[in-house]
Amino acid sequence: MSNYKAENTEEQPKEDKPASGLMEKIQQLGQTNVPQLSQDSKIHCLTIVGQIEGHLQLPPQNKTTKYEHLIPQIVAIEQNPKIEGVLVILNTVGGDVEAGLAISEMLASLSKPTVSLVLGGGHSIGVPIAVSCDHSFIAETATMTIHPIRLTGLVIGVPQTFEYLDKMQERVVKFVTKHSKITEDDFKDLMFAKGNLTRDIGTNVIGSDAVTSGLIDSVGGVGDAMSKLNELIEANNNNKENEGIIQ
Amino acid sequence: MIMYTMMPEELIFPINQEVYEKQQVIQYNGIPLLVAKTENYEYEVIRVLSTDPNHYLHEPIQPGTKIIHI
């Protein structure tokens, strides 16, 4: 195989480069051509994929959302006057509680309109990130697992560790109930429910179930999310204009 | 050998430092990219980390392509 390749490159040195570029494109993206858009985008898109990485760096084969890259990006979005809104796309299994809460707090305190869309899964610490936005969407087939927080690895075996964990859980519950329509009792019911998950406690809410429980605002896809975001951006701009007239 | 433990895999089988060093995040024309080093100054794009959707349509930095970065 390698001999054949070597022969080929010797014969046609000019054609080798575009052909290999094409091969790489097919391997990585499954297609050769991607559509082109106009250059100025007033909506930025934040993708929360794979595991949410905390202080411990995961091996490179893991797909991760790195908070040290995301947080400066949120700061840049806040500062750039050309950016008018943010769309947050979630497909995450969860991960580090503190990193997840950090991203959630950053999104919740962003002055620009934000819309989140849960596709596939927004599990565990993905839940606070999904509810942190001004309006949240969930795809009909997407799921969210709500479960008590837990720790793997080495812990110091003292009663204070348990207390610390309990307080950490309280922070997650407080954040979710503050930023969504779900009540604390309902959320805790889902969190500690028995019999829903095999050999575990918690609940797996799917699409419309998340909406009926008040956790997510509506069921929809990317089209719905974009039109809602444009609506929020328009309302935000009108507010700014009105303020200008008063002053 | 069967090892049944609640400990994370990384803690029992630590990953070589070289594996981490292979991948890095660089700024390429102002676009943050996750890249893997292939040759001297050549890198293969693994992931685009930008929030601007237009950067994902930028032909020279499509995942899989090789870029020259010093």
Side-chain angles (χ1 to χ4, degrees):
Chain A
M1 195 64 197
S2 58
N3 284 340
Y4 171 74
K5 214 176 175 183
E7 271 173 36
N8 222 15
T9 47
E10 272 170 37
E11 276 171 28
Q12 303 160 308
K14 275 178 193 169
E15 270 186 25
D16 180 60
K17 225 175 177 177
S20 68
L22 215 64
M23 280 298 286
E24 276 157 9
K25 236 181 241 176
I26 291 168
Q27 276 177 4
Q28 293 285 335
L29 298 160
Q31 58 182 20
T32 56
N33 206 6
V34 281
Q36 300 291 318
L37 277 182
S38 62
Q39 278 305 301
D40 48 334
S41 175
K42 57 178 188 173
I43 291 170
H44 270 218
C45 174
L46 216 63
T47 45
I48 312 284
V49 292
Q51 268 203 61
I52 293 160
E53 200 177 79
H55 300 302
L56 200 78
Q57 196 185 357
L58 290 160
Q61 73 264 21
N62 296 53
K63 196 164 276 188
T64 56
T65 296
K66 295 168 195 299
Y67 74 100
E68 75 268 34
H69 295 299
L70 265 194
I71 287 170
Q73 277 176 337
I74 300 170
V75 175
I77 288 167
E78 176 69 40
Q79 285 202 317
N80 190 339
K82 280 181 192 154
I83 304 166
E84 292 178 9
V86 189
L87 179 69
V88 181
I89 307 265
L90 286 120
N91 192 1
T92 178
V93 290
D96 191 271
V97 173
E98 311 233 293
L101 279 181
I103 297 166
S104 309
E105 288 285 6
M106 287 296 279
L107 286 172
S109 56
L110 203 70
S111 70
K112 289 168 185 178
T114 49
V115 168
S116 66
L117 171 61
V118 181
L119 293 167
H123 307 289
S124 182
I125 201 71
V127 176
I129 299 176
V131 301
S132 69
C133 295
D134 297 328
H135 196 94
S136 51
F137 280 95
I138 185 164
E140 217 165 313
T141 54
T143 73
M144 296 173 101
T145 310
I146 299 154
H147 67 82
I149 67 154
R150 63 218 19 192
L151 217 64
T152 50
L154 299 167
V155 288
I156 304 167
V158 290
Q160 284 81 355
T161 304
F162 175 73
E163 224 166 89
Y164 175 67
L165 227 72
D166 205 41
K167 274 188 184 150
M168 198 186 263
Q169 181 150 293
E170 206 51 44
R171 282 154 69 194
V172 175
V173 174
K174 281 256 170 65
F175 186 90
V176 172
T177 50
K178 195 182 163 194
H179 291 90
S180 70
K181 292 188 210 89
I182 200 165
T183 60
E184 191 174 333
D185 287 339
D186 283 348
F187 189 62
K188 279 189 170 168
D189 280 347
L190 291 174
M191 194 179 244
F192 302 115
K194 280 182 278 182
N196 294 329
L197 302 175
T198 323
R199 297 151 75 94
D200 201 354
I201 56 171
T203 318
N204 198 8
V205 286
I206 303 170
S208 51
D209 296 344
V211 178
T212 44
S213 66
L215 196 61
I216 296 288
D217 295 316
S218 35
V219 174
V222 70
D224 304 292
M226 280 309 250
S227 57
K228 183 71 196 177
L229 187 54
N230 282 320
E231 197 181 289
L232 288 173
I233 288 169
E234 210 171 299
N236 193 37
N237 288 346
N238 285 343
N239 265 353
K240 270 188 201 161
E241 273 171 32
N242 289 344
E243 275 171 21
I245 291 163
I246 292 162
Q247 282 171 350
Chain B
M1 183 181 74
I2 294 171
M3 180 148 22
Y4 184 80
T5 173
M6 61 176 284
M7 296 241 264
E9 197 192 312
E10 306 92 78
L11 215 68
I12 303 160
F13 304 108
I15 287 103
N16 284 338
Q17 204 53 42
E18 299 149 37
V19 184
Y20 285 107
E21 280 161 11
K22 220 180 149 197
Q23 280 190 13
Q24 61 186 103
V25 179
I26 58 159
Q27 291 279 336
Y28 185 74
N29 294 337
I31 305 167
L33 299 175
L34 181 72
V35 292
K37 202 169 187 165
T38 49
E39 276 166 52
N40 280 335
Y41 292 112
E42 213 179 61
Y43 296 88
E44 190 185 327
V45 180
I46 295 168
R47 225 172 109 186
V48 182
L49 291 168
S50 174
T51 53
D52 192 339
N54 285 327
H55 289 163
Y56 291 82
L57 303 176
H58 198 48
E59 199 83 22
I61 53 154
Q62 288 301 316
T65 51
K66 297 212 166 64
I67 53 165
I68 310 258
H69 180 79
I70 298 155

